[in-house]
């Protein structure tokens, strides 16, 4: 190659660095020069020589990016894509001709570039690996859609990129993943590329790598679940791209109902506004486009009966993106009364109608005019609702066995619910319409065939129309009275034979009367007056008899007589009445006092129902009792023990309701309520069920000790609930304790320790609500005040001891103690407070924690956990108080003299250097006269520790466990701080999870502080 040619290549690379140059002209010029050459080897070598200058630059400089783009264009310019007709002809030719065609397609320069890049992909420089993957990506991407490459080259590229997607550097992995985009085979279930992509989506720690794979992965039944999982990714950008990919590449029919609902629930409630915007502006329009813009059809594919709230939120999101004119045009088919005909009512149409009305209602004055176009007036709608609700059938026990009839009734109940919800959109300012709506609601609540599932909603809408509490109470009490004590109408059964007998008797008497009168006239004519007198008396008796028979006939033929009130105590009636009562108590102002009417309902309805045999009735009665006691401190004191007993003895659902009531009472009245309760009650609430059945006599007689015992017993009961195998009960208890601690009603380091252990316990891994609740509580609680941080600091050592001493059969043995310690350090940081102290000289919680850790290390300097404590010391934020510094210096000097572990010594010496000045440090080091470390002793100690250390797995604690003898001595020394807990040391074999849970209960119960601080 001549010098001119060399300058041409060099000049082409130089000009390619400038973005304003036309790369197409550069490619055409260089290609023309290349085609004229006979020997192209030198051209290849020189081209690669200049390319290497760009490949060693890792930074995404514009000039380098321009060169890479130029190289990709030039290399792919030699490949001409085959035409479809030519492809068909190639398939008809023999194998020899096909090989010749393929050889022509593989241009020497393109093959040379690929081979050079494949040879360079294992370079030590991450910059070279990055540019290799980037160039391969651009080369494959610049080829025509139907381009072909040699099978061997395909395999080599494939193998190289599979190696590079596991590269140490994320940018290399990104380009390697992008390069394999066209190497996917979605129809092959064992495609290596797709398998690598799915592995990256699940395991790669870099969010940008996951985004790159999401952008290029092909959709198939195999990859769809992985993409759906990324909608719950921790990074906002990954979640956002996952929804974009689903909108662009996945048809709505390819998703199951559960997947559609899950996507909308997560997307519309995402913490990121950007993700919500993608769901509203990309995903929903894409689904609507594939359904011909039919909104009703879209919500039909969401199963609205089971996911009504999600469907409503979806409709609101769609309405926000549409113009008002479009909404009025696309509205459901309404008749002249602005109502949907009863025959056209479906779950989808009624939900769409409700969502549209609520959307217009939320617009305020602007939406009132629009609302008038899609909803009838109050009186008309009330009659419409009443007519539909009366048609809801009531199934017998035999009919309930028929699934079709049951499904039909459930559908009608769902439609009824949505129609009742629409009452909130009515204009009830007009008196006539409002009265009509109130009348209909009252009649529907008292109607026996009204389903129980609608009673609560009907009561809620009724109370919303009655603002005054006294009137609310009176109205609901009257309805409850009508439902429970209706006026019964009874009719006497008509006996046809008796009726005929009476008619015959009446006819006979009438005949006798006529005959007697005729004889009387004959006797008078014959002047037989004595005989006439006898006949006259006989006629009188016959007439009296006739009147008696007529009266009997009249009474038997009279309509039904109204009788007195008959009280109904069947479970369905009681449940309806209790539901109304519970809704009334919820809607009442908390400051409203309990009046005679509510007291009468309590004594006649609520309290008797607590002993009912039907669980649903008992549960609703407990809800009513708990809600009612919130309105009266005296009532709460009276029934607190009853609620405590129910929380321990009844079914799980009822126990949870009682527990919620207890927590609410403690939040409202404080623990003082328990002391007031114990003054009037005699049965301790913490007794076991067997003990309560055997001993019903007063137990606590000393008035001075009763308040503490009652509060302590309640805390012990709550602590036992934390160990329950019933996840719902465990979660409610943890949430209640978190509320009590956050609001300041309770301050207990031991209880905080229990909550931390519960949060980390593998048994609660699947309890999402519990984990989320406690995770939020820990942050809010410790950031609120320094006093709360002191409670956390006090619970640090008991928590760590419990984890260190956890037996092998306990799930707590799997907890990573390092992670727990890091949590405590972060929660107690002074800078984490919402209002941190401005005085840097003031003592902080970390100062006290540092002293505690030093004291614990001095107790047993050879314990394996001192490494953990030393590491924790180095992560603390200490104050600048001189007294604290001197105390810590003294403690650290003592530790340096007694500790033999080299890792700990380095950490402690680093702490000393941070606390003292450079001059003082030299004096201290000379005065301390550190003894040389005995290597043999250190090795022997290390060997012993390694022998006693339990194996560590991922997610498990990595601190070695102490040997049995050393544990016993250390527990004896620290018995005062551990409250006498006796933890077995011998590690037995692992058992099943229930056995481990039971073992954990035994170990953790001793952590409850017998002197809990109760505020």
């Amino acid at each position: 190659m001549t010098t001119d040619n060399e300058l041409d290549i060099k000049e082409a690379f130089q000009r390619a660095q400038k973005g304003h140059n036309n790369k197409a002209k550069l490619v055409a010029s260089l290609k023309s020069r290349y085609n004229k050459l006979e020997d192209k080897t030198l051209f290849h070598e020189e081209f690669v020589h200049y390319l290497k200058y760009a490949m060693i630059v890792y930074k995404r400089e514009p000039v380098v990016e321009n060169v890479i783009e130029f190289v990709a264009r030039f290399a792919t310019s030699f490949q001409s894509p085959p035409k479809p007709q030519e492809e068909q002809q190639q398939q008809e030719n023999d194998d020899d001709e096909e090989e010749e065609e393929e050889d022509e397609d593989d241009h020497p320069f393109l093959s040379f570039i690929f081979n050079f890049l494949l040879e360079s992909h294992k370079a030590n420089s991450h910059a070279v690996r990055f540019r290799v993957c980037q160039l391969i990506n651009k080369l494959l991407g610049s080829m025509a859609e139907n381009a072909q490459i040699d099978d061997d080259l395909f395999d080599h590229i494939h193998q190289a990129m599979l190696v590079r997607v596991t590269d140490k550097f994320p940018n290399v992995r990104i380009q390697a993943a992008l390069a394999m985009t066209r190497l996917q085979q979605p129809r092959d279930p064992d495609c290596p590329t797709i398998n690598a992509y799915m592995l990256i989506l699940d395991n790669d720690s870099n969010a940008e790598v996951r985004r790159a794979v999401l952008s290029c992965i092909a959709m198939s039944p195999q990859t769809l679940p992985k993409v759906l999982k990324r909608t719950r990714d921790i990074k906002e950008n990954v979640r956002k791209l996952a929804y974009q990919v689903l909108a662009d590449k996945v048809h709505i029919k390819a998703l199951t109902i559960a997947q559609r609902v899950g996507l909308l629930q997560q997307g519309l409630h995402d913490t990121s506004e950007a993700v919500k915007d993608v769901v509203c502006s990309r995903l929903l329009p894409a689904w609507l486009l594939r359904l011909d813009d039919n909104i009703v059809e879209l919500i039909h594919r969401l199963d609205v009966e089971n996911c009504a709230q999600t469907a409503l939120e979806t409709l609101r999101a769609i309405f926000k993106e549409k113009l008002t004119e479009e909404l009025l045009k696309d509205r459901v088919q309404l008749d002249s009364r602005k109502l949907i005909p009863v025959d056209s009512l479906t779950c989808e149409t009624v939900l769409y109608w409700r969502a549209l009305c609520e959307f217009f209602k939320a617009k305020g004055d602007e939406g009132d005019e629009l609302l008038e176009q899609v909803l009838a007036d109050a009186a008309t709608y009330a009659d419409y609702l009443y007519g539909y609700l009366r048609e809801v059938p009531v199934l017998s026990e035999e009919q309930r066995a028929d699934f079709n009839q049951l499904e039909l009734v459930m559908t009608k109940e769902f439609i009824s619910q949505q129609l009742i919800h629409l009452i909130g959109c009515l204009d009830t300012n007009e008196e006539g319409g409002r009265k009509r709506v109130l009348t209909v609601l009252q009649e529907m609540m008292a109607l026996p065939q009204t389903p129980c599932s609608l009673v609560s909603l009907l009561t809620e809408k009724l109370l919303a129309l009655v603002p005054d509490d006294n009137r609310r109470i009176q109205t609901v009490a009257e309805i409850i009275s009508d439902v429970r004590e209706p006026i019964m109408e009874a009719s006497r059964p008509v006996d046809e034979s008796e009726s005929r007998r009476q008619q015959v008797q009446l006819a006979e008497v009438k005949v006798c009367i006529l005959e007697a009168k005729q004889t009387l006239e004959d006797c008078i004519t014959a002047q037989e007056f004595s005989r006439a007198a006898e006949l006259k008396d006989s006629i009188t008796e016959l007439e009296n008899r006739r009147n008696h028979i007529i009266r009997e006939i009249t009474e038997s033929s009279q309509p039904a007589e109204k009788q007195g009130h008959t009280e109904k105590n069947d479970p369905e009636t009681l449940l309806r009445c209790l539901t109304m009562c519970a809704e009334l108590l919820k809607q009442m102002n908390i400051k409203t006092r309990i009046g005679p009417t509510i007291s009468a309902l309590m004594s006649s309805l609520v309290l008797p129902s607590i002993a009912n045999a039907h669980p649903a009735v008992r549960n609703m009665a407990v809800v009513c009792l708990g809600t009612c006691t919130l309105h009266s401190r005296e009532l709460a004191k009276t029934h607190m023990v009853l609620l405590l007993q129910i929380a321990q003895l009844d079914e799980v659902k009822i126990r949870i309701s009682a527990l919620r009531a207890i927590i609410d009472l403690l939040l409202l009245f404080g623990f003082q309520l328990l002391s007031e309760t114990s003054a009037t009650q005699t049965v301790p609430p913490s007794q076991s069920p067997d003990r309560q059945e055997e001993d019903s006599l007063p137990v606590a007689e000393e008035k001075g000790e009763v308040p503490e015992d009652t509060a302590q017993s309640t805390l012990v009961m709550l602590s036992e609930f934390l160990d329950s195998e019933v996840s719902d009960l465990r979660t409610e208890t943890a949430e209640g304790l978190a509320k009590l601690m956050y609001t300041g009603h309770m301050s207990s380091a031991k209880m905080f320790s229990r909550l931390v252990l519960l949060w980390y316990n593998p048994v609660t891994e699947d309890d999402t609500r519990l984990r989320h609740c406690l995770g939020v509580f820990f942050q809010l609680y410790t950031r609120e005040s320094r006093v709360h941080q002191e409670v956390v600091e006090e619970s640090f050592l008991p928590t760590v001891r419990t984890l260190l001493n956890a037996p092998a059969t306990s799930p707590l043995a799997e907890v990573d103690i390092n992670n727990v310690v890091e949590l405590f350090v972060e929660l107690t940081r002074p800078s984490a407070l919402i209002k941190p102290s401005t005085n840097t000289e003031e003592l902080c919680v970390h100062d006290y924690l540092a002293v505690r850790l030093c004291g614990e290390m001095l107790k047993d300097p050879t314990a394996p956990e001192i490494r953990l404590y030393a590491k924790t010391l180095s992560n603390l934020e200490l104050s600048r108080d001189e007294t604290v510094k001197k105390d810590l210096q003294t403690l650290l000097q003592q530790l340096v003299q007694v500790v033999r572990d080299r890792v700990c010594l380095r950490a402690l010496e680093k702490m000393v250097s941070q606390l003292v000045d450079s001059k003082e440090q030299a004096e201290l080091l000379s005065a301390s006269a550190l003894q040389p470390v005995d290597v043999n002793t250190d090795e022997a100690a290390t060997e012993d520790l390694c022998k006693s250390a339990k194996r560590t797995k991922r997610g498990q604690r990595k601190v070695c466990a102490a040997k049995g003898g050393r544990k016993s001595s250390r527990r004896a020394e620290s018995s005062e701080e551990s409250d006498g807990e006796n933890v077995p040391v011998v590690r037995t074999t692992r058992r099943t999870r229930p056995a481990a849970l039971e073992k954990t209960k035994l170990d953790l119960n001793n952590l409850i502080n017998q002197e809990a601080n109760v505020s």
Side-chain angles (χ1 to χ4, degrees):
M1 183 177 293
T2 62
T3 305
D4 293 339
N5 289 335
E6 293 177 3
L7 291 176
D8 290 340
I9 297 177
K10 181 178 180 180
E11 183 180 359
F13 272 89
Q14 289 176 341
R15 293 176 61 183
Q17 298 177 34
K18 301 176 182 179
H20 61 272
N21 281 314
N22 192 332
K23 291 185 176 57
K25 291 183 178 180
L26 288 177
V27 169
S29 176
L30 195 60
K31 184 178 179 181
S32 176
R33 176 68 62 184
Y34 178 83
N35 291 333
K36 293 179 181 179
L37 296 175
E38 295 181 0
D39 185 8
K40 299 179 173 55
T41 304
L42 294 178
F43 184 92
H44 293 169
E45 294 177 355
E46 189 173 358
F47 190 90
V48 167
H49 171 75
Y50 290 115
L51 175 60
K52 289 179 180 179
Y53 287 101
M55 293 180 64
I56 62 176
V57 180
Y58 182 69
K59 190 176 181 181
R60 304 290 294 264
E61 295 288 351
V63 292
V64 179
E65 297 300 318
N66 290 334
V67 170
I68 297 297
E69 183 67 26
F70 164 72
V71 172
R73 287 193 181 187
F74 178 73
T76 55
S77 65
F78 293 100
Q79 188 178 43
S80 56
K83 298 180 181 179
Q85 294 180 356
E86 294 176 351
E87 290 182 358
Q88 295 176 3
Q89 293 175 359
Q90 289 174 0
Q91 292 177 1
E92 295 174 358
N93 295 335
D94 56 8
D95 296 338
D96 295 337
E97 292 177 350
E98 287 182 357
E99 291 179 0
E100 292 177 2
E101 291 290 337
E102 290 178 0
D103 292 340
E104 292 178 3
D105 285 339
D106 294 335
H107 195 275
F109 182 79
L110 186 59
S111 300
F112 171 78
I113 289 295
F114 271 122
N115 291 331
F116 165 73
L117 294 175
L118 293 174
E119 291 172 359
S120 306
H121 86 91
K122 294 183 179 179
N124 292 332
S125 171
H126 60 278
V128 175
R129 299 198 302 272
F130 168 69
R131 293 300 176 182
V132 166
C133 296
Q134 184 187 26
L135 258 175
I136 292 177
N137 174 32
K138 288 187 175 293
L139 287 172
L140 294 176
S142 299
M143 291 182 179
E145 184 177 355
N146 53 356
Q148 298 178 0
I149 60 174
D150 184 66
D151 289 342
D152 294 336
L153 179 60
F154 177 93
D155 293 337
H156 291 159
I157 295 174
H158 202 182
Q159 294 300 325
M161 293 303 99
L162 286 175
V163 174
R164 291 279 66 84
V165 291
T166 60
D167 196 275
K168 178 181 178 181
F169 288 83
N171 282 337
V172 179
R173 300 201 298 272
I174 290 173
Q175 294 300 325
L178 294 175
M180 290 196 298
T181 303
R182 301 189 67 175
L183 307 182
Q184 300 178 79
Q185 298 175 353
R187 296 181 180 179
D188 182 8
D190 299 324
C191 175
T193 301
I194 291 180
N195 291 336
Y197 278 170
M198 292 192 295
L199 192 65
I200 292 172
L201 288 177
D202 284 339
N203 301 313
D204 201 293
S205 59
N206 189 277
E208 292 303 318
V209 178
R210 299 196 298 272
R211 290 187 75 250
V213 173
L214 275 177
S215 65
C216 60
I217 190 170
M219 288 294 104
S220 68
Q222 186 181 8
T223 59
L224 181 58
K226 303 296 182 181
V227 177
L228 290 172
K229 188 177 180 180
R230 286 307 101 205
T231 59
R232 302 185 297 275
D233 196 278
I234 192 174
K235 292 295 184 181
E236 169 190 331
N237 290 336
V238 180
R239 299 197 302 273
K240 180 180 175 182
L241 181 61
Y243 279 107
Q244 291 175 350
V245 170
L246 290 171
D248 297 338
K249 297 182 179 181
V250 181
H251 197 286
I252 185 175
K253 294 181 180 179
L255 301 169
T256 64
I257 293 177
Q259 289 172 341
R260 298 168 199 158
V261 174
L263 282 174
L264 294 175
Q265 282 179 343
Q266 297 158 16
L268 295 175
H269 292 95
D270 199 281
T271 55
S272 169
E273 292 296 329
V275 176
K276 293 180 183 177
D277 183 66
V278 168
V279 174
C280 297
S281 61
R282 295 283 297 274
L283 185 65
L284 288 176
W287 285 0
L288 281 173
L289 183 63
R290 294 181 174 98
L291 296 175
D292 299 329
D293 245 9
N294 191 334
I295 300 178
V296 175
E297 179 66 20
L298 172 62
I299 60 175
H300 173 69
R301 296 182 180 274
L302 299 180
D303 188 16
V304 294
E305 290 187 59
N306 297 318
C307 310
Q309 190 59 36
T310 303
L312 280 173
E313 294 170 355
T314 302
L315 288 170
R316 296 189 192 111
I318 294 174
F319 293 160
K320 289 179 182 178
E321 301 294 327
K322 286 184 172 289
L323 299 175
T324 304
E325 293 76 10
E326 295 180 359
L327 293 178
L328 293 175
K329 180 180 179 182
D330 298 339
R331 65 185 182 181
V332 291
Q333 297 299 323
L334 304 176
D335 57 18
S336 58
R337 300 176 300 167
K338 300 171 187 174
L339 300 170
I340 299 179
V342 175
D343 298 338
S344 302
L345 277 176
T346 63
C347 296
E348 292 77 22
T349 56
V350 72
L351 194 70
Y352 181 90
W353 190 23
R354 172 194 167 187
L356 186 62
C357 292
E358 290 179 349
F359 181 74
F360 287 154
K361 182 77 173 180
K363 289 179 174 289
D365 296 338
E366 177 187 352
D368 290 342
E369 296 181 1
L370 300 173
L371 193 60
E372 292 178 357
Q373 301 181 40
V374 295
L375 187 61
D377 60 272
T380 304
Y381 185 82
D383 294 334
Y384 172 77
L385 173 64
Y386 185 70
Y388 187 83
L389 291 180
R390 287 184 64 90
E391 297 301 324
V392 177
V394 179
L395 298 181
S396 62
E397 292 299 329
E398 296 179 356
Q399 292 174 328
R400 290 180 181 275
D402 188 352
F403 180 78
N404 293 328
Q405 292 189 12
L406 184 61
E407 185 179 14
L408 178 63
V409 171
M410 292 175 64
T411 301
K412 287 185 174 294
E413 287 185 11
F414 177 82
I415 295 173
S416 302
Q417 286 180 355
Q418 307 312 314
L419 294 176
I420 295 171
H421 276 294
L422 271 171
I423 294 177
C425 299
L426 295 174
D427 182 10
T428 54
N429 295 325
E430 194 267 323
E431 186 68 16
R434 188 168 64 86
K435 285 185 176 181
R436 180 56 185 160
V437 174
L438 283 172
T439 302
V440 167
L441 289 175
Q442 294 176 18
E443 291 180 1
M444 291 310 306
M445 291 168 62
L447 206 62
Q449 59 261 34
T450 301
C452 291
S453 59
L454 303 179
V455 173
S456 177
L457 188 57
L458 288 169
T459 309
E460 177 188 344
K461 296 303 178 183
L462 174 68
L463 298 177
L465 296 175
V466 183
D468 182 61
D469 276 347
N470 293 327
R471 189 182 169 193
R472 286 177 171 181
I473 295 171
Q474 189 64 31
T475 303
V476 174
E478 292 175 357
I479 298 174
I480 291 176
S481 177
D482 292 340
V483 172
R484 197 177 181 199
E485 299 179 0
I487 299 176
M488 302 297 293
E489 294 183 353
S491 60
R492 184 180 302 171
V494 179
D495 190 351
E496 296 182 359
S497 61
E498 181 67 19
S499 177
R500 285 197 300 270
R501 187 182 62 79
Q502 291 174 347
Q503 295 291 341
V504 170
Q505 289 179 351
L506 181 61
E508 291 177 351
V509 170
K510 287 182 177 181
V511 170
C512 291
I513 291 175
L514 290 176
E515 292 178 350
K517 286 183 177 182
Q518 185 64 38
T519 306
L520 177 61
E521 291 179 0
D522 295 340
C523 290
I524 293 174
T525 303
Q527 296 184 353
E528 296 178 0
F529 297 106
S530 57
R531 174 67 175 163
E534 294 175 359
L535 289 173
K536 189 174 182 181
D537 294 337
S538 176
I539 291 172
T540 302
E541 292 176 1
L542 290 171
E543 288 180 347
N544 290 336
R545 185 181 177 186
R546 181 194 63 184
N547 294 335
H548 178 71
I549 294 174
I550 292 174
R551 190 161 51 249
E552 288 181 352
I553 295 175
T554 304
E555 289 177 358
S556 62
S557 61
Q558 277 184 351
E561 294 181 354
K562 292 189 178 180
Q563 298 181 353
H565 297 274
T566 303
E567 187 175 78
K568 298 172 64 177
N569 289 317
D570 59 287
E572 185 176 355
T573 301
L574 290 176
L575 186 60
R576 290 163 63 90
C577 296
L578 288 169
T579 303
M580 297 180 204
C581 185
E583 193 64 37
L584 170 65
L585 293 169
K586 290 178 184 178
Q587 298 292 336
M588 281 172 52
N589 192 325
I590 192 66
K591 296 181 180 180
T592 302
R593 307 293 297 176
I594 298 298
T597 306
I598 296 294
S599 299
L601 288 174
M602 285 289 296
S603 60
S604 63
L605 177 64
V606 177
L607 293 176
S609 298
I610 288 181
N612 194 281
H614 201 275
V617 175
R618 291 203 309 275
N619 182 60
M620 192 57 67
V622 171
V623 172
C624 290
L625 178 61
T627 312
C628 189
T629 51
L630 294 175
H631 294 267
S632 171
R633 190 184 189 94
E634 295 298 324
L635 202 62
K637 290 191 294 184
T638 304
H639 298 292
M640 186 63 172
V641 172
L642 176 60
L643 290 172
L644 288 168
Q645 292 174 344
I646 294 173
Q648 298 176 88
L649 301 176
D650 217 317
E651 295 185 4
V652 173
K653 185 177 181 181
I654 304 173
R655 293 173 65 190
I656 292 175
S657 298
L659 178 61
R660 289 173 180 169
I662 294 170
I663 297 297
D664 289 342
L665 289 174
L666 294 178
L667 288 172
L668 184 61
F669 300 116
F671 278 84
Q672 294 83 358
L673 180 67
L674 296 174
S675 59
E676 297 172 5
T677 301
S678 61
T680 57
Q681 302 293 334
T682 57
V683 179
S686 62
Q687 283 184 330
S688 64
D690 297 335
R691 178 73 178 274
Q692 288 176 346
E693 292 176 0
E694 295 172 3
D695 187 9
S696 60
L697 298 177
V699 176
E701 296 179 358
E702 300 180 6
K703 300 296 182 182
E705 297 180 359
V706 167
E708 294 182 1
D709 291 343
T710 306
Q712 185 63 32
S713 300
T714 304
L715 289 177
V716 171
M717 180 195 74
L718 295 176
S719 177
E720 291 174 353
F721 288 170
L722 290 179
D723 296 322
S724 173
E725 296 183 4
V726 182
S727 61
D728 292 339
L729 183 62
R730 188 172 59 220
T731 302
E732 286 294 337
T733 306
E735 185 176 345
L737 289 171
K739 291 178 181 178
L740 289 171
M741 294 186 69
Y742 181 73
T743 54
H745 289 288
M746 182 179 70
S747 178
S748 173
K750 296 296 182 181
M751 196 60 75
F752 187 87
S753 175
R754 291 295 309 278
L755 294 178
V756 172
L757 293 173
L758 185 65
W759 194 49
Y760 276 101
N761 198 323
V763 174
T764 64
E765 184 177 1
D766 298 330
D767 197 341
T768 307
R769 182 186 165 198
L770 173 66
R771 292 286 180 99
H772 179 73
C773 172
L774 291 180
V776 174
F777 161 69
F778 292 149
Q779 298 183 37
L780 295 179
Y781 180 72
T782 54
R783 294 182 61 193
E784 184 69 22
S785 69
R786 178 199 164 105
V787 177
H788 292 173
Q789 287 192 338
E790 292 175 355
V791 174
V792 178
E793 181 263 335
E794 187 180 350
S795 66
F796 173 78
L797 285 178
T799 305
V800 174
R801 287 196 199 105
T802 303
L803 293 173
L804 289 172
N805 297 329
T809 55
S810 170
L812 293 178
E814 303 176 10
V815 177
D816 184 359
I817 300 183
N818 293 283
N819 190 276
V820 178
V821 171
E822 291 175 4
L823 172 68
F824 274 94
V825 172
E826 291 300 324
L827 293 179
T828 53
R829 286 193 185 278
S831 58
L833 290 171
I834 297 177
K835 295 181 180 179
S837 176
T838 56
N839 185 7
T840 57
E841 301 293 333
E842 183 183 0
L843 295 180
C844 64
V845 176
H846 275 190
D847 295 336
Y848 298 107
L849 184 58
V851 174
R852 282 182 184 267
L853 291 173
C854 291
E856 192 70 17
M857 295 171 70
L858 285 171
K859 288 180 180 179
D860 189 358
T862 60
E865 57 264 25
I866 62 170
R867 283 193 177 187
L868 177 67
Y869 294 152
K871 179 182 177 182
T872 306
L873 277 173
S874 63
N875 292 329
L876 299 179
E877 292 181 7
L878 302 177
S879 65
R880 299 179 182 179
D881 184 76
E882 293 298 330
T883 306
V884 175
K885 286 185 177 181
K886 292 180 181 179
D887 293 340
L888 285 178
Q889 288 173 17
T890 304
L891 292 171
L892 290 173
Q893 290 177 40
Q894 298 176 11
L895 284 172
V896 169
Q897 293 179 0
V898 297
V899 171
R900 293 293 177 264
D901 187 85
R902 293 180 177 179
V903 177
C904 292
L905 277 175
R906 285 196 296 268
L908 294 174
E909 290 172 357
K910 184 179 179 181
M911 284 287 297
V912 173
S913 66
Q914 292 175 353
L915 290 174
V916 300
D917 298 330
S918 58
K919 295 180 180 180
E920 297 177 354
Q921 182 180 359
E923 297 176 0
L924 289 171
L925 291 176
S926 61
S928 61
L930 297 179
Q931 300 178 357
V933 178
D934 189 350
V935 178
N936 295 329
T937 305
D938 184 74
E939 291 177 356
T942 304
E943 183 178 358
D944 290 341
L945 292 176
C946 292
K947 289 181 179 179
S948 63
K950 48 194 288 290
R951 62 180 182 178
T952 59
K953 296 181 180 180
R954 183 175 182 179
Q956 297 181 349
R957 61 186 180 93
K958 302 173 183 176
V959 180
C960 296
K963 298 190 72 172
R966 199 155 56 225
K967 268 189 179 178
S968 301
S969 63
R970 190 163 64 258
R971 284 199 309 276
E973 293 174 2
S974 60
S975 60
E976 294 180 358
E977 295 187 12
S978 62
D979 293 332
E981 61 182 298
N982 184 15
V983 184
V985 178
V986 180
R987 295 184 180 273
T988 58
T989 57
R990 291 186 180 273
R991 300 176 184 174
T992 58
R993 177 156 287 188
L997 180 61
E998 187 67 20
K999 191 70 176 177
T1000 307
K1001 290 169 61 176
L1002 298 176
D1003 292 336
L1004 297 183
N1005 280 339
N1006 293 327
L1007 285 176
I1008 296 300
N1009 189 358
Q1010 298 300 325
E1011 297 178 356
N1013 298 322
V1014 179
S1015 61

